[in-house]
Each structure stands twice: as structure tokens, then as C-alpha cells.
Amino acid sequence: MLLKSQTIFSSVSGLKLNPKSFLNPNFTLQFNPISSLKVVWRKDRKLDRAIENDKRYKLCARVVREVLNEPGQAIPLCYLAKRRERLRLSVTVKTFINNNPGLFDTYYDRIRPKSDLVSFLRPSNRLRNFLEEEKRIYDENEELVVSKLCKLLMMSRYKVISVDKLVHVKREFGLPNDFLVNLVPKYSNYFRLTGSPGEGQSFLELVEWNPEFAKSVIELRAEEESRLTGIRVRPNFSYKLPPGFSLRKEMREWVRDWLELDYISPYEDASHLDQASREMEKRMVGVLHELLSLSLLKRVPVPILGKFTNDYRFSNAFSSAFTRHSGIFYVSIKGGIETAVLRESYEGDKLIDKDPLHEIKDKFVELLEEGWRERAEMSRLRTEQIKKDMEIMATRNEELSEQSCGEEL
């Protein structure tokens, strides 16, 4: 007996049929082309909120990286202030530092010998402790990082990807900053750097294919369900439209029929598939699903995914698949950037399918929140002190007023 991992629909769909056509011996079934299927984008406020909630965290992480990348991990405050626009700071650097205590220590030094003393920033002891924790988490999850890197290469057309592209997406997939320097040479059985140094000239190539890595999240989920139920479960997508969302009849029928197609693993050779076929659409959605599943937050900006169009054989209009399959994905336009979100990984605005490397983000948020609590407490104490001072002044004024009245009498 064969079950599907998710409840899906089973009607033949997308067909434009004329009953008289069945009398024609040359009659053939015609499916609507994928490009003609349109789905109206609709806002998902909860998933938008999930992105908005990370805005402050990402801003802080961006400023921290800027300081850590400086020689000696220290920078004059005036230099950082000049980068305010690039860092997308809506306030001055001084205000940012005051609003986020605990990230940096301020000290005075000279930029050049005999120059005037100016304010410098360097990582605080708390931030340095966090960096040690970050390294520990990466060390404990090194096998996971290696498998992610292998999977990114295994899904690609030629099992090789530009180093520049991988560096650009390292934070999206939780790869450590030094993965090219430390991780790649250490696992030479899996990876090989080719080409020459320079922009767009270096590539990371897969050396060995590990069958254990060649299973998608969807396939592993089906295997686990089969193990638990004792019944073979077919791999398939988890498809659930958000409340209040509906598809036009034509699209609803096409989705039912499309879901009935056999699942195509993103690690299978797809060179024989027609780029415009429904099977290729199935494969492309599988790759997109796997990429989002491998990402740290189960969401990736669409422009970043677009950099891999040739590597993963995406069509030029690949981004329309996110709205076409609204029960699998959501595209947020929060912040003016299209971000593809994997619906099944979220419950409301909360990420429920957490990557083990997500602990790094949790630790950093704890560091930020500790500083925010201290700032709030200091603000509360200042407010109370001002209130006490005002009460004392009012009492003194009252005493002086009474004394003045007594003298007049």
C-alpha cells in the first residue's frame, strides 16, 4: 500500500475539453502552459512580521561585522560614522551605540602619531564571549556545515559553483566566515578549489558524491513517516494555503494535477527534462524547497536565489513559482526586497523548524536583549531620580513660600 506524505488533490485538471472532441480520432489532451497560470499575490501579515522582527537584530549584526572586519577589530568612531548610509543606519552612530549597550567599548586613541585623541570602538567583553560561543557552536556542527556545502554543490548542474556566489550567501545558509580557508582544505575528499584568484575566477568543485547527502528534506520526512507507520509513504510537498486565501478554479485544478506528479529529487539528474514541462516545474520547486530548507531562517531574498539561475537550471521567470505555489511558499516584500519564505517552517510569525546553527542567532539576541534591559533599567532609574529631585524642589519651594508668608505677618 502506498500513501502520500501529505493530503493532496487528485482530479485531472487544467484541461479545455469539448465533448465532441472525443469523437475525433486525432484528439489529444492539452494542458494549459505553466506560463499562463497566474496567482494574485496576497499579503501574509504574520510572515511579514517574522521578517520585521529580525530587522533590529540584522542591523546590529551588520555593524558588528563592520567593526570585526577592521584591522585589530577596532575603528575610529568618526570612520564608522562616514559609513552610516552604507550600513543603513537611520540614526547617528553615537545614538546606535547608546541604544545597543554591551556591543562595544569606547576608548581614546590617536589615528596617526601626534594627531589628536579621538573615540575608538572595539568589541566589548560580552561580544568577545559571544564570539567564543559562536566558534563552539560551529565546531560542534561542523559535519552539518560540510553537508550543507556538499548539498549546494550536489544540486548544481555541473557540481561546481563560483566562490563569489558562495561567499555572498554564506550568512543565509549559516556557513562560517572562514569556511574557504579552514573547512574546504580540511575536507579535501569533498571539495576542491579551482580557477585563479579574482572576481568570478575561482570555483568550488565537488570531489566526492556522498549518497547520504543526496536525500532532500521531503524524502527524509517521507522515510520517517514510513518508519513510524510501517507503510510506504510517497514523498510530496506540504501544501497548505493560509486562512482566507483561495485559488481560481483553473489554478486549483492545475495544482491538484501537478501535486499528483511523482516527486523529483533535487539531487537527481534533470538534464533530460524539458525546461517548459510540468516535470521540470516539479523539479525546480523541489530545488527551491531544499534551498530554503537548508537556509538558516528558512527564507532567502529572491535576488540571492536568482544568482544561482544557471547553476540550478532555474527558468528566467523562476520567481513566479513562489506565488504560483502559494501553499508551499510565500513571497514577502517587506523592506522593499522580495524574500521567499518556506511556509511549513513557520507557525504564525514564529520559526518552528530551527536549524542547529540558529543557536548562534539566539545567543546574539540574548546579548542584545541583555544590553536593552540594562539601558531600560538605567532609564527607569534616571526617571525616578528626576522625579525625586522634582519632589524635593517642590517641598523646598513650599517651605520657602510658607517662610516668606510668616515673615510678612
Side-chain angles (χ1 to χ4, degrees):
M1 184 176 180
L2 184 66
L3 294 181
K4 297 177 183 177
S5 60
Q6 300 292 331
T7 301
I8 59 176
F9 308 103
S10 59
S11 62
V12 176
S13 60
L15 302 178
K16 295 180 178 179
L17 302 180
N18 183 338
K20 294 182 180 179
S21 298
F22 289 108
L23 301 177
N24 184 348
N26 296 321
F27 169 74
T28 56
L29 297 179
Q30 297 294 325
F31 288 93
N32 289 335
I34 294 171
S35 60
S36 69
L37 300 167
K38 307 295 183 184
V39 177
V40 178
W41 176 87
R42 290 189 60 178
K43 179 189 288 288
D44 189 319
R45 298 186 185 279
K46 292 180 179 179
L47 291 179
D48 280 347
R49 194 183 308 129
I51 295 175
E52 182 67 23
N53 290 343
D54 281 343
K55 188 176 179 180
R56 192 173 181 183
Y57 148 75
K58 287 193 171 184
L59 178 62
C60 292
R62 193 157 54 239
V63 176
V64 166
R65 286 195 300 270
E66 192 74 17
V67 175
L68 294 179
N69 287 336
E70 289 294 310
Q73 296 186 337
I75 184 173
L77 191 63
C78 58
Y79 283 14
L80 193 62
K82 293 178 180 179
R83 305 175 192 177
R84 174 184 165 187
E85 185 176 347
R86 178 162 62 82
L87 292 170
R88 300 195 290 277
L89 285 174
S90 59
V91 296
T92 65
V93 171
K94 285 186 178 180
T95 301
F96 172 83
I97 301 302
N98 292 333
N99 289 345
N100 299 281
L103 288 178
F104 305 109
D105 288 336
T106 304
Y107 68 102
Y108 290 91
D109 201 351
R110 292 179 171 85
I111 298 176
R112 292 179 298 275
K114 299 183 180 180
S115 64
D116 294 335
L117 291 172
V118 297
S119 296
F120 273 72
L121 293 179
R122 63 188 173 197
S124 66
N125 289 333
R126 288 183 193 172
L127 182 54
R128 293 190 184 281
N129 290 337
F130 160 76
L131 294 174
E132 292 179 3
E133 279 288 286
E134 181 184 46
K135 185 179 184 307
R136 175 190 64 78
I137 295 168
Y138 272 127
D139 289 344
E140 291 178 356
N141 291 278
E142 187 170 281
E143 291 184 4
L144 172 64
V145 175
V146 170
S147 70
K148 282 191 178 191
L149 199 52
C150 282
K151 284 171 174 283
L152 291 175
L153 293 171
M154 290 166 70
M155 285 188 286
S156 67
R157 182 185 298 191
Y158 302 114
K159 318 309 175 218
V160 58
I161 295 178
S162 163
V163 165
D164 290 340
K165 291 181 183 179
L166 292 172
V167 170
H168 190 70
V169 302
K170 62 184 178 183
R171 284 187 289 274
E172 305 297 333
F173 293 96
L175 303 178
N177 291 327
D178 59 357
F179 77 96
L180 285 173
V181 177
N182 293 329
L183 208 62
V184 168
K186 184 176 179 180
Y187 291 89
S188 57
N189 57 315
Y190 284 133
F191 311 115
R192 177 167 56 232
L193 281 170
T194 60
S196 57
E199 188 174 347
Q201 301 299 315
S202 298
F203 300 87
L204 188 64
E205 180 182 349
L206 184 72
V207 174
E208 179 184 335
W209 181 278
N210 187 335
E212 292 184 5
F213 297 158
K215 290 183 179 180
S216 69
V217 169
I218 288 177
E219 290 173 306
L220 291 173
R221 185 169 60 202
E223 287 184 2
E224 178 64 14
E225 289 184 25
S226 297
R227 186 186 66 80
L228 294 174
T229 62
I231 303 172
R232 185 188 167 200
V233 177
R234 274 183 59 190
N236 216 326
F237 298 101
S238 173
Y239 198 97
K240 183 180 180 181
L241 291 171
F245 191 98
S246 62
L247 298 175
R248 289 184 294 108
K249 181 181 178 182
E250 179 189 38
M251 189 64 211
R252 187 167 61 250
E253 292 176 346
W254 184 90
V255 169
R256 288 172 179 172
D257 189 56
W258 181 83
L259 285 171
E260 286 291 338
L261 295 174
D262 288 339
Y263 173 77
I264 300 175
S265 172
Y267 301 102
E268 288 183 22
D269 179 17
S271 59
H272 63 286
L273 296 178
D274 179 2
Q275 193 71 27
S277 67
R278 295 185 306 154
E279 288 76 15
M280 190 60 185
E281 170 96 349
K282 191 95 175 187
R283 191 261 176 186
M284 181 179 71
V285 172
V287 174
L288 293 171
H289 184 284
E290 185 73 354
L291 287 172
L292 294 181
S293 296
L294 291 173
S295 69
L296 197 60
L297 300 175
K298 314 308 177 190
R299 63 176 191 255
V300 178
V302 174
I304 287 182
L305 293 172
K307 293 180 179 292
F308 296 90
T309 298
N310 293 328
D311 299 285
Y312 296 128
R313 290 192 67 196
F314 295 156
S315 67
N316 291 332
F318 81 95
S319 60
S320 62
F322 294 123
T323 50
R324 191 159 51 247
H325 299 281
S326 299
I328 303 173
F329 308 113
Y330 170 63
V331 176
S332 172
I333 55 174
K334 201 71 179 174
I337 300 175
E338 289 189 347
T339 301
V341 185
L342 191 60
R343 285 193 184 278
E344 66 189 45
S345 297
Y346 284 82
E347 188 173 293
D349 62 349
K350 303 298 182 184
L351 178 65
I352 56 174
D353 181 17
K354 287 193 175 184
D355 190 291
L357 294 170
H358 194 277
E359 184 183 357
I360 294 173
K361 182 198 170 186
D362 291 338
K363 294 287 184 183
F364 188 66
V365 170
E366 287 177 10
L367 167 65
L368 293 175
E369 290 179 342
E370 183 180 358
W372 297 339
R373 284 193 298 270
E374 288 182 0
R375 180 174 177 273
E377 179 64 15
M378 290 175 63
S379 178
R380 186 186 67 81
L381 292 175
R382 282 197 300 268
T383 301
E384 288 185 356
Q385 187 61 49
I386 291 172
K387 184 179 179 180
K388 288 179 181 179
D389 292 343
M390 291 180 68
E391 289 175 351
I392 292 173
M393 290 177 63
T395 301
R396 287 179 179 175
N397 289 337
E398 187 177 345
E399 291 175 352
L400 290 173
S401 178
E402 290 177 355
Q403 182 179 352
S404 176
C405 291
E407 291 176 353
E408 290 178 359
L409 294 174

